[in-house]
Amino acid sequence: FTVEAPTTPSLVIQEATTVVNSCQTQAEINSAFATWLSNNAIASGSCNGVLTNNNTGAPSACGGSKTVTWSYSTSCILPLKGQATFVVPAPPTVVLTCPMNATEAAGQTQAQIDAAFATWLATASGTGGCNGVLTNNNSGAPPASGGSTTVTFTYTSTCAPTTTTCQATFTVT
């Protein structure tokens, strides 16, 4: 009667660090993490092997990382262990740039003031965050006969800071 020795156990971690694109939805990150979790560790050999991990969930879609330890336990040897990290980079920093306060001289037509105001509005810009949208509460240019309009510019992002604002004033003397 012969009992053959078990095959040598093996635990292979495919990628020690996996970095995915930022600015995905949380559902997309969760899906990518689940795929990575199920495919990143391969265990085989020995007797009655069981592969487990200490997963506590995917990192935030707005940036973060999770390090997972896999353990391959068998009835014939001590557990083999391996680690890997799943990384979601933080999104770019939000930068909101308001127009400079502007003053137009009186004596222009309303069409000229409206055109200058539209050009002034267009100098606002917002970048960074995830899925950023720049809006303003513009209610129209001030009258050509004189007055001012203060505009609040708002940049929203799906990652913090979710709302960034600034104000600028357009004046006709």
Side-chain angles (χ1 to χ4, degrees):
F1 179 74
T2 303
V3 176
E4 291 187 24
T7 57
T8 303
S10 169
L11 174 60
V12 177
I13 302 300
Q14 301 294 323
E15 293 183 41
T17 303
T18 299
V19 180
V20 297
N21 293 330
S22 58
C23 294
Q24 297 183 59
T25 65
Q26 190 62 53
E28 290 169 326
I29 293 298
N30 292 349
S31 177
F33 183 76
T35 299
W36 171 82
L37 196 62
S38 65
N39 295 331
N40 202 41
I42 299 170
S44 62
S46 197
C47 307
N48 308 313
V50 176
L51 180 62
T52 59
N53 65 64
N54 68 344
N55 169 41
T56 59
S60 168
C62 291
S65 66
K66 289 290 178 133
T67 298
V68 174
T69 301
W70 283 269
S71 181
Y72 183 56
S73 301
T74 72
S75 57
C76 298
I77 61 155
L78 294 174
L80 298 174
K81 293 187 182 279
Q83 277 190 334
T85 303
F86 185 91
V87 179
V88 179
T93 302
V94 169
V95 176
L96 173 59
T97 304
C98 253
M100 299 292 292
N101 290 335
T103 302
E104 289 287 324
Q108 299 181 60
T109 66
Q110 189 62 51
Q112 290 171 313
I113 294 298
D114 290 347
F117 183 72
T119 299
W120 175 80
L121 283 174
T123 63
S125 64
T127 60
C130 286
N131 309 304
V133 176
L134 177 63
T135 59
N136 66 62
N137 70 343
N138 166 35
S139 60
S145 59
S148 65
T149 299
T150 298
V151 178
T152 300
F153 297 86
T154 303
Y155 187 78
T156 56
S157 167
T158 55
C159 291
T162 56
T163 304
T164 305
T165 63
C166 63
Q167 286 187 329
T169 302
F170 185 93
T171 304
V172 178
T173 57

